[in-house]
Amino acid sequence: MDRRSFLTKAAVGGTIGGAAATLAAPAIAQANPKINWRLTSSFPKSLDTIYGAGETMARMVKEATDGQFQIQVFAAGEIVGGLQAADATANGTVECCHSVCYYYWGKDPTWALASAVPFSLNARGMNAWHYHGGGIAMFNEFLAKQNLYGLPGGNSGTQMGGWFRKEINTLDDLRGLKMRVGGFAGKIMERLGVVPQQIPAGDIYAALEKGTIDGVEWVGPYDDEKLGFQKVAPYYYYPGWWEGGPTVHFLFNQDAWNGLPPLYQNILRIACQATDQDMLANYDYKNARALKSVMANGAQLRPFSPEIMSASFDAADATYAEIEATNPEFKKIWGSIKDFRSDWYLWSQVAEYNYDTFMMIQQRQGRL
């Protein structure tokens, strides 16, 4: 990305006036304060794609402001644990974080909706809802009560269904299964008899190796291979119906955000959206090769059965209905997603689905 072009567009799109676009970059930098922020990530450095998104955003902001606005990125555990990132941001320990909002669903299930809940939207659908369906504004009405302001900052695409020590063919195979599963999805899986465990990335392998858990879901082939799950749990299931398109967020302390000059706020908006798109493209590129690699090293690919998928869908619907009856904020946001979800999958099954299906057939026939 050309830094000066980026900066000029940010200035034009902001509230400082079109005349700012005619200023040379150094002049703009001199007109704005020197600011240094800290960002705590929910992810370890070893997961370079998802952790690296925080560094990508920080680099864009630094370059666009000629170094006047710098954000130092810290991995999970360096300042606070990965699951405490939002709290540390809200209370001002750091100015911002990079995290997945479903980690905090225990405070209120509404947290999960703007990230991923079972049988919601895929990555493109989530982005459409966030950027053009009012999702960002709606979620920020909720976040304001937490002293936070949020912007989408990444997506993995539809995730895998996880690694298991044994085959999972029927609903009976799920009952009593101890599974590391993130966020709100665990509440749904409890209805199927699963015993959900929320464990940070760095501790998952040891728990799986020792038999503390029977299965684990994380992201997809690229990250999963780095964590080595195929060494101790060979059965690799798909799809991760609980994360059809999980949005990762940049969360900002509300006071820190409000204290920024309008130009810096606008540069952050642009950098976060660019990072959002970059992470998805990065995973799309890397997962294809990683899938072949984990299969070559012992992973046995399996689809979840129609029985399990259908029962999971029903369990999710029942859970949403229960929460909507008592939580108006959840009902408002979930209602917006549901309304768009119907239209999204109507459109998706026409051109996109048929084109992709045809090309997949060519791939299976060895013609690509």
Side-chain angles (χ1 to χ4, degrees):
M1 177 180 292
D2 180 77
R3 178 185 58 77
R4 295 183 185 274
S5 172
F6 175 128
L7 180 60
T8 300
K9 291 178 181 177
V12 171
T15 59
I16 61 173
T22 64
L23 295 176
I28 293 176
Q30 292 166 11
N32 286 280
K34 180 79 173 178
I35 293 178
N36 292 290
W37 274 10
R38 297 192 302 169
L39 180 153
T40 185
S41 175
S42 284
F43 316 106
K45 290 181 180 179
S46 59
L47 300 177
D48 59 306
T49 304
I50 194 166
Y51 168 81
E55 294 184 327
T56 296
M57 185 275 281
R59 184 179 67 251
M60 289 180 182
V61 170
K62 178 182 177 180
E63 292 177 353
T65 61
D66 277 331
Q68 289 294 99
F69 186 6
Q70 297 194 34
I71 301 173
Q72 187 176 4
V73 180
F74 294 87
E78 291 182 341
I79 297 178
V80 295
L83 302 182
Q84 286 77 52
D87 288 339
T89 304
N91 66 30
T93 300
V94 294
E95 290 80 9
C96 54
C97 69
H98 190 225
S99 189
V100 187
C101 288
Y102 59 50
Y103 288 160
Y104 315 106
W105 77 272
K107 301 172 183 290
D108 184 325
T110 309
W111 275 94
L113 291 173
S115 178
V117 294
F119 302 103
S120 184
L121 298 159
N122 64 13
R124 281 182 58 182
M126 284 300 293
N127 279 338
W129 177 76
H130 275 302
Y131 295 112
H132 298 283
I136 292 175
M138 200 175 302
F139 191 48
N140 273 315
E141 290 178 10
F142 170 77
L143 288 178
K145 299 173 184 178
Q146 326 296 326
N147 198 35
L148 294 167
Y149 180 81
L151 293 169
N155 203 303
S156 66
T158 302
Q159 295 192 358
M160 292 292 286
W163 301 84
F164 298 88
R165 291 176 170 276
K166 65 175 186 178
E167 291 190 74
I168 308 297
N169 297 314
T170 68
L171 289 171
D172 285 339
D173 294 327
L174 291 174
R175 294 188 179 100
L177 191 82
K178 298 190 295 289
M179 180 180 178
R180 186 276 172 195
V181 55
F184 182 73
K187 184 176 180 64
I188 310 298
M189 298 190 82
E190 279 184 314
R191 287 180 176 263
L192 306 177
V194 172
V195 182
Q197 313 284 318
Q198 187 149 299
I199 303 172
D203 300 330
I204 298 173
Y205 182 88
L208 192 62
E209 184 179 38
K210 293 175 182 176
T212 306
I213 55 176
D214 306 305
V216 56
E217 63 81 32
W218 180 243
V219 176
Y222 182 72
D223 282 348
D224 292 0
E225 183 176 34
K226 283 179 172 291
L227 294 174
F229 300 142
Q230 72 279 2
K231 299 175 184 177
V232 288
Y235 299 105
Y236 198 22
Y237 277 81
Y238 63 90
W241 44 264
W242 47 89
E243 294 188 82
T247 299
V248 187
H249 273 81
F250 288 109
L251 299 175
F252 305 94
N253 177 276
Q254 186 75 69
D255 295 332
W257 173 267
N258 291 340
L260 289 174
L263 174 64
Y264 286 7
Q265 289 181 347
N266 208 41
I267 286 173
L268 270 174
R269 289 189 186 97
I270 295 170
C272 288
Q273 187 168 358
T275 301
D276 187 24
Q277 299 299 314
D278 182 70
M279 184 195 288
L280 180 60
N282 204 352
Y283 271 120
D284 282 344
Y285 186 77
K286 291 175 176 176
N287 275 332
R289 296 180 178 183
L291 179 62
K292 292 189 288 186
S293 177
V294 295
M295 291 180 69
N297 285 286
Q300 299 185 45
L301 208 56
R302 300 282 192 276
F304 283 127
S305 68
E307 175 194 11
I308 289 174
M309 293 294 290
S310 181
S312 301
F313 185 88
D314 291 343
D317 264 7
T319 301
Y320 299 143
E322 292 172 1
I323 298 172
E324 285 178 297
T326 60
N327 188 325
E329 289 182 303
F330 184 97
K331 182 177 181 179
K332 177 182 177 181
I333 296 177
W334 180 235
S336 174
I337 293 173
K338 279 196 298 183
D339 288 346
F340 177 59
R341 182 179 63 171
S342 179
D343 287 342
W344 171 247
Y345 287 108
L346 170 66
W347 162 235
S348 296
Q349 67 187 280
V350 181
E352 200 84 27
Y353 174 80
N354 281 280
Y355 176 77
D356 285 350
T357 300
F358 175 81
M359 293 302 292
M360 290 170 190
I361 292 170
Q362 309 316 302
Q363 189 272 339
R364 290 191 175 189
Q365 293 177 348
R367 300 179 66 189
L368 299 185

